[in-house]
């Protein structure tokens, strides 16, 4: 691929993704919202740009960022916690409109399994989403903005809970008391596997518009997080018995059908 790959959002996932793509021989354009981080991106071989999406529009030189980019990875999660909540859908509409100045042929939108809400049982790409949070609802609406554009070849990747270097939910759950979701299942994905899935989507190993990115290991939360805390040397969480809470197992029929796809990393204990 001679044209550059653009990564909108070079953070916890976007930065190692960019490094992996460069190592594979790709040219990468990347954005950050921090002036201080521009030097870091450039030092890693990423052609970096300061671009900020907001409810009022886009700050930064999108035209330069999109120049020569035919494949764009949108890795900008919603900010809906705390006092500084935002209209994520409006931000994505501004982004979608800005793509008219570029030559984007392939778009990969990083979404979340939160769009499935509180569904129970096995959940696949064919399962109708039922988001029950503001984040899930806005992500689902944003997915449709790009999926419904016939000019874009869009792939939506709905990742489960992200784990990896310096990031594990067991650290946040350590020492918690009276948790009631111990019988629910984990739906996690390691950073390395996220990168592998996105790179496979860039290489178009499948033609599906939507895929779930979740590691196919679904222990109960109680078993997994207690064991994880023990392994990490942390105080385990305490769970109340709640036999009624079963939760969902998010699986990917798409990835199971890609014979050459093989996960590199495990979330098993």
């Amino acid at each position: 691929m001679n044209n550059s790959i653009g990564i909108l959002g070079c953070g916890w996932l976007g930065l190692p993704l960019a490094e992996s793509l460069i190592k594979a021989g790709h040219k990468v354009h990347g954005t950050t919202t921090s002036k201080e981080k521009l030097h870091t991106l450039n030092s890693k071989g990423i052609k970096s740009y300061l671009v900020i999406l907001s409810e009022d529009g886009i700050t930064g030189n999108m035209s330069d960022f999109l120049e020569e980019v035919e494949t764009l990875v949108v890795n900008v999660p919603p900010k809906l916690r705390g006092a500084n909540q935002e209209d994520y859908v409006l931000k994505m509409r501004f982004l979608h409109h800005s793509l008219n100045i570029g030559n984007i042929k392939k778009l990969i939108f990083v979404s979340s399994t939160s769009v499935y809400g509180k569904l129970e049982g096995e959940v696949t790409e064919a399962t109708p989403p039922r988001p029950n949070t503001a984040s899930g609802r806005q992500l689902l609406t944003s997915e449709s903005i790009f999926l419904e554009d016939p000019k874009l070849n869009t792939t939506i990747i709905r990742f489960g809970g992200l784990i990896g270097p310096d990031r594990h939910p067991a650290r946040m759950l350590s020492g918690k008391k009276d948790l009631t979701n111990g019988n629910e299942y984990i739906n996690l994905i390691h950073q390395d596997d996220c990168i592998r899935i996105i790179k496979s989507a860039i290489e178009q190993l499948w033609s599906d518009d939507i895929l779930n990115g979740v590691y196919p290991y679904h222990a109960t939360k109680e078993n997994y997080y207690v064991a994880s805390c023990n392994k990490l040397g942390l105080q385990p969480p305490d769970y109340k018995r709640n036999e009624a809470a079963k939760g969902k197992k998010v699986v990917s029929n798409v990835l199971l059908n890609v014979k050459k796809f093989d996960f590199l990393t495990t979330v098993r204990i």
Side-chain angles (χ1 to χ4, degrees), residues 67-128:
E67 188 177 3
E68 299 181 355
V69 169
E70 288 193 352
T71 299
L72 177 65
V73 179
V74 180
N75 179 43
V76 182
K79 296 178 181 178
L80 297 174
R81 295 180 181 177
N84 297 320
Q85 297 189 13
E86 64 181 2
D87 188 331
Y88 182 76
V89 174
L90 185 56
K91 286 174 59 172
M92 291 302 105
R93 292 195 188 282
F94 278 121
L95 171 62
H96 178 245
H97 180 73
S98 75
L99 299 184
N100 292 327
I101 64 178
N103 190 36
I104 303 300
K105 299 290 195 303
K106 173 75 175 176
L107 185 137
I108 297 166
F109 183 82
V110 176
S111 187
S112 165
T113 55
S114 65
V115 300
Y116 295 116
K118 291 292 186 180
L119 292 173
E120 292 191 354
E122 186 172 275
V123 172
T124 74
E125 289 88 355
T127 303

Side-chain angles (χ1 to χ4, degrees), residues 82-259:
N84 297 320
Q85 297 189 13
E86 64 181 2
D87 188 331
Y88 182 76
V89 174
L90 185 56
K91 286 174 59 172
M92 291 302 105
R93 292 195 188 282
F94 278 121
L95 171 62
H96 178 245
H97 180 73
S98 75
L99 299 184
N100 292 327
I101 64 178
N103 190 36
I104 303 300
K105 299 290 195 303
K106 173 75 175 176
L107 185 137
I108 297 166
F109 183 82
V110 176
S111 187
S112 165
T113 55
S114 65
V115 300
Y116 295 116
K118 291 292 186 180
L119 292 173
E120 292 191 354
E122 186 172 275
V123 172
T124 74
E125 289 88 355
T127 303
R130 291 175 56 186
N132 68 322
T133 63
S135 175
R137 288 188 289 269
Q138 293 209 41
L139 278 169
L140 184 61
T141 301
S142 298
E143 290 179 3
S144 66
I145 292 172
F146 302 102
L147 281 172
E148 293 173 3
D149 186 340
K151 300 187 298 297
L152 292 174
N153 176 13
T154 298
T155 296
I156 305 295
I157 305 178
R158 294 170 176 165
F159 284 128
L162 302 175
I163 66 173
D166 302 318
R167 184 168 183 167
H168 199 296
R171 298 186 186 279
M172 294 181 288
L173 293 172
S174 174
K176 297 286 187 180
K177 301 293 184 181
D178 298 329
L179 299 176
T180 59
N181 60 351
N183 283 348
E184 295 181 10
Y185 305 107
I186 61 166
N187 293 282
L188 301 176
I189 185 76
H190 194 278
Q191 182 189 75
D192 289 346
D193 293 332
C194 294
I195 292 170
R196 179 84 185 273
I197 292 171
I198 294 172
K199 289 174 70 177
S200 297
I202 290 172
E203 295 164 2
Q204 302 187 66
L205 296 186
W206 52 78
S207 58
D208 303 78
D209 294 333
I210 296 173
L211 65 94
N212 295 330
V214 176
Y215 192 83
Y217 170 67
H218 301 278
T220 65
K221 290 183 176 180
E222 180 176 11
N223 288 341
Y224 182 76
Y225 290 123
V226 168
S228 294
C229 284
N230 287 333
K231 184 177 181 179
L232 294 168
L234 302 172
Q235 181 183 353
D238 176 69
Y239 286 88
K240 283 185 175 180
R241 285 294 168 190
N242 183 6
E243 300 297 335
K246 295 296 183 182
K248 58 182 178 289
K249 288 183 180 180
V250 181
V251 300
S252 175
N253 287 337
V254 175
L255 295 183
L256 290 176
N257 290 329
V258 180
K259 294 181 180 179

